[in-house]
Amino acid sequence: MQGALEEFLRALRASEVRVSPAEAIDAHRAVAEIGYADRELLKDALCVTLAKTADEVERFDICFDTFFTREEFKDAPPPEAKAQQNPSPANEGGEGGEAPPLAEMLLNNDAIGLTQAMEAAAARARASDIRLNTQRNLLTRRVLDEMGLRELEALINRLREMGLPRDQALAERLAERREALFVEAQRFVDRQSKLYASETARRLRERILVDQKLTSIEPEEMRSMEALVRRMAKRLATKYSRKRHRAKRGKLDVRRTIRKSMGYGGVPFDIVWKTETVEKPKIIAICDVSRSVAAAAQFLLLFLYSLNEVVDKLEAFAFSDRMVSVNDLLDDETLEQAIAQILKRIGFRPTDYGRALADFCDHHLDDLDRHTTVIILGDGRSNYVNPRLDLMKQIAERSRAVIWLNPEPETYWGQGDSRMDAYQRFCHVAKSCNTLKQLERIIEDVLRTYSTH
């Protein structure tokens, strides 16, 4: 049964449950102690050994139940039909020789033998290597071929060619069992797909979503996008949290350590560390929530709020014609509810960047200092009103950096009522940002600027 456990560990890794070599050894030791007889005991022991977080426990439960479930073959012939299964198909006008084992198992309703044969055939066909759902039909046929489907079909054709009523009846029974076998093989390969291909398919969908325009996300894709944003933010948080942890340990300052050791005859009693200073960023996010860019603003806010571990302070503001703080909504409500309330309060109005900047400077300009990064998300279209470039200049002078993320392509900047070309002069970074990949790259650049050596 060691092979079965190794396959189970493969399925866990495919389900994004991290299993290290040391944990795999512990799992083998646990199974050696308790065996496979008690299903619940086995499940609990492996879960304690391998799952480390609540999310991994949930994934483990699904994977375990799927991997160790073996349903009986359906559409099997009724018990009274066994009396009609003799004589053997090989002796029914055949050309001599033994009947194919698959035919014997089908006519004898040997569910255990069929299950074992399918497991062995799946191993030879490498069904566990499935990575995409589109491979299911191909692998189903390979598994059936490994079980002896071609020999079974040849036997059915020979019996039909004999023309005798008894041969014809036997051929029809085998044909019926063959159709049922196809169904069972499809069920088996579907289970393999759930074990080994579901996460691959999810990652493929995510690779497509990260390049999809935020302003054109379909409602049914929102949940997948939000989960993807949280994982991306967690990845960045983990990366920069490690940098801070490394900074606290420091690096050995050889020159200063030797200098301090001179008073002790060169023995380094006092160790001097060369530390790495990593600041936690302070971020002010100003988001345009007019109809054209509200979706992009939603993902920016979600991304930033998922970076709590590495962001020292985050203030969020939203505007269309007037600007309001939305920290309380984002703290107390789910993101979907918060966005709905923000849009109800100030959304879908004519955009006035000049008025919004005036609101910010009147109440929050003193919050800016040389440690603050201001991130503005908007298309820069102000409906031909005064853009208040003077206020934009004050914000740029007081803050560490101003980063403007515009969902529109740069070729649109400065056209029509867009004043993006004028605002761009006061930005340290101004980029087109309309996909999650672009958003992740820009936020990571912001975090990296706070890491100094």
Side-chain angles (χ1 to χ4, degrees), residues 105-120:
M105 286 188 290
L106 288 174
L107 289 175
N108 293 327
N109 190 22
D110 187 359
I112 295 177
L114 287 169
T115 300
Q116 293 175 342
M118 187 168 290
E119 292 278 354

Side-chain angles (χ1 to χ4, degrees), residues 275-310:
T275 59
E276 177 185 84
T277 303
V278 180
E279 296 180 73
K280 292 183 71 175
K282 296 168 61 178
I283 294 177
I284 289 181
I286 301 175
C287 299
D288 180 356
V289 292
S290 60
R291 187 185 301 272
S292 59
V293 293
Q298 174 176 347
F299 289 111
L300 173 65
L301 292 174
L302 175 60
F303 203 109
L304 293 175
Y305 268 79
S306 298
L307 289 172
N308 287 332
E309 293 183 11
V310 291

Side-chain angles (χ1 to χ4, degrees), residues 11 23 26 87 99 121 149 165 167 208 217 221 306 329 341 346-347 362 377 391:
E23 290 167 344
D26 290 340
L149 181 64
D167 294 332
I208 296 173
I217 298 297
E221 296 174 333
S306 298
L329 288 176
Q341 292 191 38
I346 59 169
D362 288 344
L377 176 68
L391 299 180

Side-chain angles (χ1 to χ4, degrees), residues 229-288:
V229 168
R230 287 189 173 92
R231 277 196 293 273
M232 294 167 67
K234 183 178 180 180
R235 185 165 60 246
L236 287 180
T238 301
K239 179 177 180 180
Y240 286 90
S241 293
R242 287 174 179 170
K243 282 197 170 185
R244 277 202 313 280
H245 184 61
R246 186 169 63 246
K248 290 178 181 179
R249 292 203 310 266
K251 298 178 181 179
L252 179 65
D253 190 328
V254 178
R255 295 174 61 184
R256 293 180 63 191
T257 299
I258 292 176
R259 191 180 303 119
K260 276 188 166 288
S261 301
M262 298 299 291
Y264 306 102
V267 179
F269 283 109
D270 294 330
I271 305 298
V272 181
W273 301 101
K274 183 189 296 182
T275 59
E276 177 185 84
T277 303
V278 180
E279 296 180 73
K280 292 183 71 175
K282 296 168 61 178
I283 294 177
I284 289 181
I286 301 175
C287 299
D288 180 356

Side-chain angles (χ1 to χ4, degrees), residues 177-211:
R177 306 295 181 263
R178 179 188 59 186
E179 295 305 316
L181 184 65
F182 267 104
V183 174
E184 296 300 327
Q186 288 173 344
R187 289 172 54 206
F188 182 90
V189 173
D190 285 345
R191 185 168 62 86
Q192 300 296 103
S193 177
K194 290 179 182 179
L195 286 170
Y196 301 104
S198 58
E199 288 303 313
T200 302
R202 182 186 63 78
R203 287 192 289 268
L204 179 60
R205 291 195 301 271
E206 288 181 354
R207 284 199 294 271
I208 296 173
L209 286 176
V210 295
D211 290 319

